[in-house]
Amino acid sequence: MLLTSTNPQKETYVTNTPETKEQFTGNLRGSIITRKAPVTTAPIYKGDLKAKGERRHSIAPLYWRSALDMAFFILAGVTSLVLTILMLVNTVGHAWWGIPTALIFWAFTAYLTLPRFHAVMTRIYVPDYFIGRTRTADGLLGDPVNMALIGTEEQIHEAMLAAGWTRADDVTLASSWKIVVSTITRKSYAEAPVSPLKIFGKIQNFAYQKEVDGNPEKRHHVRFWKTPSGWQLPGGERVDWLGAGTYDSGVGFSFFTLQVTHRIDAETDYERDYIVDEIQYAFPETEVDVLESFSTSYHARNGGGDAIITDGNLPVISLRNKGIQKKQAPSSINLSSVHDIASRLPMNVLIGAVLLTITAVSEVMSIAGLLLNLDTLRSQIASEPGVDEQTMEMMKSEGGEFILSALSWVLLAAVIVLVLFQMWLLVRLLRGSSVARMLTLTVLSVGVISQMVSVIFAGQYLPLSVLFFQLGISVFAMLAFTTDAAVAYTRSNTLLKKREKAKKKAQTAA
């Protein structure tokens, strides 16, 4: 490994030459390289030769924290795949629905089915430890980690702002709406969010970007992650932050998921060097040490299928500026605040809850219209197999109409109670209840599986409207409520409430 420095007063050490000392400390803090002594005795294996091998953590514990979460995660992916096949089979021959059907099928496949398929598979066979690459929300390998920083968050903010960069908004309902508006109106959106990428199982803490000529399709951008306490780079060097910078050269379709996304320039080293130069130009006292050949030079693809070319060098930026004051964000979400809901609640959780509410209300109205109209209800019953003329005559009698009307009101009341229970669960879920999320997933799973079984094995016909919207929304909600963001949101809120409850109990006891 070659260690170089931008400071002319520092030396350069080359560790693979005969003149290298047996042990020395390089320019970076804590970097110690030791040469192994020669072997003069017969080697002895120190392990237990009689022990049987054990398979541990075949599935990463970071993702599979409970068997129930794992089951719902996989089940949502399976139902999404089955629904995609049902959509394809049931829409063949509907020529007048050709274009809308193709668009719906593409959207469902690109944004729901394929991402969940990738997420299930990559969580099994893609390593979850640091390998110098980020990971997409679907688990695919993303952009390369091409810089490290020593300093505080306040110092990074000051350095990037002084260099003329703009902090990117988080991906929320509000920012997503701004993107739609800016795209339609062809106006610049300098704070446009970047897609979430993960290191250490967490998305970036924040990101900065710089538009090129006011064109939202072309931009410089870099993401930053805080390293865990005590974590070291391969080789033993400790840093405070990791960064991944790439240049967006345009917009296109993802090679792996078919989603619309930014395409990056393959020469990622150009963007890395540009960002480092920008920081040093803004604050000349900044020191940069380069770990040459930190990772093997590789030609690969990121999560969108774009080519990546890099020399494998890792610049370590030591910030010397003072930093700026950081604003503290509130720890909890106020559901009575429209701003909190739009900007802080996980977007997939909010959209899933809203869609389920709309379908529940429409379902109540549809069932009410059927049950309260006795003539329509009789026609529906008459169409069922096994209903004879004697039964129909009995329902037309005065006593039969009374019984039918009473049953209709009872059924309507039962449906309303069930819908109110679902609405209560959704409210609890939005407030961060893990139990409510599990119960909601259970109700959705039962409904979706029963409908799919009736279609596949019993030959029941579902209209395209039911297939696309009612069943499609239920599957979308299952996918939304099993994402990492939904799990983390409900678990963190549940843990916070438990701590607050324990604190109040302790105060009362005291």
Side-chain angles (χ1 to χ4, degrees):
M1 180 173 67
L2 179 65
L3 174 63
T4 62
S5 174
T6 57
N7 190 333
Q9 297 180 350
K10 291 186 177 181
E11 300 180 36
T12 297
Y13 294 97
V14 183
T15 66
N16 56 357
T17 60
E19 295 80 14
T20 306
K21 298 179 181 179
E22 291 187 1
Q23 180 172 325
F24 63 91
T25 301
N27 291 327
L28 299 177
R29 298 177 297 180
S31 294
I32 298 176
I33 302 175
T34 303
R35 175 170 293 172
K36 186 177 179 297
V39 178
T40 57
T41 59
I44 300 176
Y45 177 68
K46 297 179 181 179
D48 187 356
L49 295 175
K50 298 181 179 180
K52 294 183 177 180
E54 297 180 2
R55 291 195 301 175
R56 298 179 181 178
H57 299 327
S58 57
I59 298 177
L62 178 64
Y63 294 102
W64 308 129
R65 295 183 179 177
S66 72
L68 196 55
D69 266 329
M70 180 180 68
F72 280 129
F73 187 89
I74 295 177
L75 180 61
V78 172
T79 55
S80 173
L81 178 61
V82 172
L83 182 58
T84 303
I85 296 173
L86 290 177
M87 283 183 175
L88 183 62
V89 171
N90 283 268
T91 53
V92 172
H94 291 269
W96 58 277
W97 262 64
I99 295 178
T101 299
L103 289 175
I104 294 175
F105 178 77
W106 163 77
F108 203 92
T109 303
Y111 288 91
L112 297 179
T113 304
L114 284 179
R116 181 51 58 96
F117 172 78
H118 287 307
V120 171
M121 299 305 296
T122 55
R123 293 184 181 192
I124 296 174
Y125 64 76
V126 176
D128 192 39
Y129 50 83
F130 180 77
I131 58 174
R133 293 285 294 275
T134 62
R135 292 180 64 175
T136 68
D138 311 329
L140 299 170
L141 292 180
D143 298 340
V145 175
N146 51 15
M147 67 185 69
L149 299 94
I150 298 174
T152 65
E153 179 178 342
E154 292 80 6
Q155 288 177 304
I156 297 177
H157 289 314
E158 183 184 34
M160 297 306 295
L161 291 173
W165 291 59
T166 303
R167 182 169 178 175
D169 291 338
D170 294 330
V171 180
T172 63
L173 188 63
S175 63
S176 299
W177 175 249
K178 287 183 181 180
I179 292 177
V180 173
V181 173
S182 64
T183 302
I184 295 175
T185 58
R186 306 296 295 176
K187 291 184 178 180
S188 172
Y189 179 15
E191 302 85 8
V194 300
S195 59
L197 294 179
K198 294 182 178 182
I199 304 178
F200 314 118
K202 297 181 180 180
I203 64 172
Q204 66 268 10
N205 293 79
F206 51 87
Y208 277 86
Q209 64 181 4
K210 179 185 284 189
E211 280 188 354
V212 177
D213 299 328
N215 184 355
E217 293 185 4
K218 298 179 180 294
R219 60 179 179 177
H220 306 277
H221 68 292
V222 56
R223 301 171 176 86
F224 295 99
W225 292 262
K226 185 76 174 71
T227 60
S229 177
W231 184 83
Q232 297 177 340
L233 285 169
E237 175 59 27
R238 291 189 178 183
V239 295
D240 300 315
W241 297 83
L242 294 176
T246 53
Y247 172 67
D248 286 338
S249 58
V251 176
F253 289 96
S254 168
F255 181 79
F256 297 112
T257 63
L258 306 180
Q259 296 176 4
V260 177
T261 184
H262 276 98
R263 310 305 299 268
I264 69 168
D265 183 8
E267 298 285 353
T268 58
D269 294 344
Y270 295 158
E271 182 73 357
R272 175 199 66 196
D273 297 340
Y274 176 68
I275 295 169
V276 173
D277 291 345
E278 286 268 90
I279 295 176
Q280 282 194 293
Y281 185 74
F283 291 98
E285 66 271 24
T286 302
E287 296 180 358
V288 179
D289 299 287
V290 179
L291 296 176
E292 296 193 5
S293 300
F294 172 77
S295 61
T296 303
S297 300
Y298 53 82
H299 294 219
R301 294 182 181 272
N302 69 354
D306 298 325
I308 295 174
I309 303 174
T310 177
D311 56 18
N313 294 345
L314 184 75
V316 180
I317 307 168
S318 297
L319 300 172
R320 297 289 184 260
N321 52 300
K322 293 182 179 180
I324 58 176
Q325 191 67 28
K326 182 178 66 173
K327 295 181 179 180
Q328 295 292 336
S331 58
S332 59
I333 295 178
N334 181 11
L335 289 181
S336 62
S337 168
V338 177
H339 176 269
D340 272 18
I341 291 176
S343 61
R344 302 191 62 223
L345 193 69
M347 186 170 58
N348 48 12
V349 174
L350 178 60
I351 294 177
V354 170
L355 291 177
L356 284 179
T357 301
I358 294 174
T359 54
V361 172
S362 62
E363 188 175 349
V364 169
M365 295 176 63
S366 176
I367 293 176
L370 173 63
L371 296 179
L372 298 181
N373 189 327
L374 295 183
D375 291 334
T376 305
L377 183 58
R378 288 194 196 95
S379 300
Q380 183 71 22
I381 295 175
S383 63
E384 296 293 328
V387 179
D388 53 18
E389 294 183 2
Q390 185 178 358
T391 303
M392 294 301 301
E393 289 296 328
M394 183 194 70
M395 286 191 297
K396 292 180 181 179
S397 64
E398 185 175 348
E401 285 193 359
F402 175 78
I403 295 174
L404 194 60
S405 178
L407 288 175
S408 299
W409 281 103
V410 170
L411 290 174
L412 181 59
V415 171
I416 292 176
V417 169
L418 179 60
V419 169
L420 289 176
F421 175 68
Q422 291 178 341
M423 295 300 99
W424 177 79
L425 285 179
L426 288 177
V427 171
R428 295 288 299 167
L429 190 155
L430 291 177
R431 291 186 178 276
S433 171
S434 294
V435 175
R437 185 177 65 87
M438 290 297 183
L439 289 175
T440 302
L441 286 171
T442 302
V443 173
L444 289 172
S445 299
V446 171
V448 169
I449 292 175
S450 60
Q451 279 192 310
M452 287 185 173
V453 168
S454 63
V455 171
I456 297 174
F457 297 102
Q460 180 184 356
Y461 172 76
L462 288 182
L464 290 179
S465 58
V466 175
L467 191 65
F468 282 153
F469 300 108
Q470 184 177 336
L471 193 56
I473 287 175
S474 296
V475 172
F476 173 83
M478 290 178 64
L479 293 169
F481 297 156
T482 54
T483 58
D484 290 339
V487 174
Y489 169 69
T490 53
R491 282 181 174 166
S492 61
N493 278 272
T494 300
L495 182 60
L496 181 63
K497 290 176 182 178
K498 287 182 178 179
R499 288 176 178 173
E500 291 178 350
K501 188 176 180 180
K503 185 177 179 180
K504 290 181 180 179
K505 187 177 181 181
Q507 290 175 348
T508 305

